[in-house]
Amino acid sequence: MTTVSLSPWKTREERERDREVKREAVLRAAARAFNEQGFHRTSLDEVAERLNVSKPTIYYYVKNKDEILFECVRIGLERLDAASRATHAGGGTGLDRLIALWTEYARIVTEDFGRCLILVGEDPLPAETRRELRALKGKIDHRFRGVVEDGIADGSIRPCDPKLVAFAGAGALSWIARWYDPKGPLDVDAVARQIIDVLVRGIASPRKDEGGTRPATRRRGRGG
């Protein structure tokens, strides 16, 4: 027989779950404000106003603005970390996994916390907390390089410098966070596909011996 509680008060688990939901709402509202107007120009009064609560209510969930930024960047990094771990351990060629990882990267950096990671980052924070976040960044970068190295080993990626390829991909895809408009004609996956295609194939037309034609280069004489 199931016992139904008649208490009007929430259980400890329900209170903790409710607090986490509200804390994430505080972080998300702050992340959006930071993304729109910058970290230093955003006050906790504005964050509270966005949530229709008082400023003291904000302090129930976070200590200060630095903690908010730390958590926003950490969440963005942890999502990238999870994606890189899952992709690194996944099946397919190195190139297949790199494309999957880059696609997920583009999705994450167009979300609230991912955009905060790119647009604001950890630079405004104290040195100790910057080091903690940068250590996580380093782990993610090494996984990106590892996928490239796997592709070189299995022949799906031509011999290259894995570090440069990882940096080039992250750099190109990070810029999506700065200009992407979800109300535009392309969704983030379509944007990611085109950018990744350029990264994978380059922009030059294939040479004749590769089954295509390449625009002829006009040879100039001395007269111009």
Side-chain angles (χ1 to χ4, degrees):
M1 182 175 177
T2 303
T3 302
V4 179
S5 174
L6 299 178
S7 173
W9 285 272
K10 293 181 179 180
T11 65
R12 180 180 177 180
E13 291 77 12
E14 288 173 332
R15 290 195 304 273
E16 289 178 352
R17 187 163 54 247
D18 185 57
R19 185 179 186 280
E20 282 306 308
V21 168
K22 291 177 179 177
R23 186 172 188 271
E24 182 173 339
V26 170
L27 297 177
R28 191 174 296 279
R32 290 179 178 176
F34 295 159
N35 294 340
E36 291 168 11
Q37 56 198 39
F39 175 72
H40 295 294
R41 294 175 61 187
T42 299
S43 69
L44 291 186
D45 293 288
E46 292 174 85
V47 176
E49 186 177 346
R50 287 173 180 245
L51 294 167
N52 297 315
V53 299
S54 64
K55 185 176 178 180
T57 301
I58 298 293
Y59 286 112
Y60 178 70
Y61 301 100
V62 292
K63 294 178 182 177
N64 50 43
K65 200 167 77 166
D66 279 357
E67 183 185 354
I68 291 178
L69 179 59
F70 174 84
E71 289 298 315
C72 289
V73 173
R74 181 188 62 78
I75 292 170
L77 282 173
E78 286 191 346
R79 291 183 178 175
L80 287 176
D81 185 47
S84 67
R85 281 188 281 110
T87 306
H88 189 74
T93 67
L95 180 59
D96 290 336
R97 287 185 283 128
L98 183 61
I99 291 172
L101 181 52
W102 275 345
T103 302
E104 194 60 28
Y105 188 100
R107 292 169 182 161
I108 291 169
V109 300
T110 52
E111 297 171 352
D112 294 326
F113 297 119
R115 290 190 71 221
C116 190
L117 166 64
I118 301 301
L119 300 181
V120 183
E122 74 278 4
D123 286 347
L125 295 172
E128 185 175 344
T129 48
R130 288 202 305 269
R131 283 194 293 271
E132 183 177 344
L133 294 170
R134 286 172 183 172
L136 181 53
K137 276 186 174 181
K139 290 180 182 178
I140 296 168
D141 175 59
H142 280 293
R143 289 202 192 95
F144 271 78
R145 297 186 202 181
V147 174
V148 178
E149 289 167 356
D150 290 346
I152 295 171
D154 67 29
S156 61
I157 296 176
R158 66 177 176 81
C160 59
D161 186 331
K163 179 179 178 179
L164 294 181
V165 172
F167 281 172
L173 294 167
S174 291
W175 272 95
I176 300 177
R178 300 181 181 276
W179 54 258
Y180 176 68
D181 182 1
K183 297 178 182 177
L186 297 176
D187 63 25
V188 67
D189 282 2
V191 171
R193 276 195 302 273
Q194 292 197 41
I195 293 177
I196 292 169
D197 186 65
V198 170
L199 290 169
V200 172
R201 302 176 188 278
I203 59 173
S205 298
R207 296 195 302 267
K208 222 172 186 182
D209 57 5
E210 293 177 335
T213 57
R214 192 171 191 171
T217 302
R218 182 181 174 187
R219 184 172 295 177
R220 293 173 177 267
R222 291 184 180 181

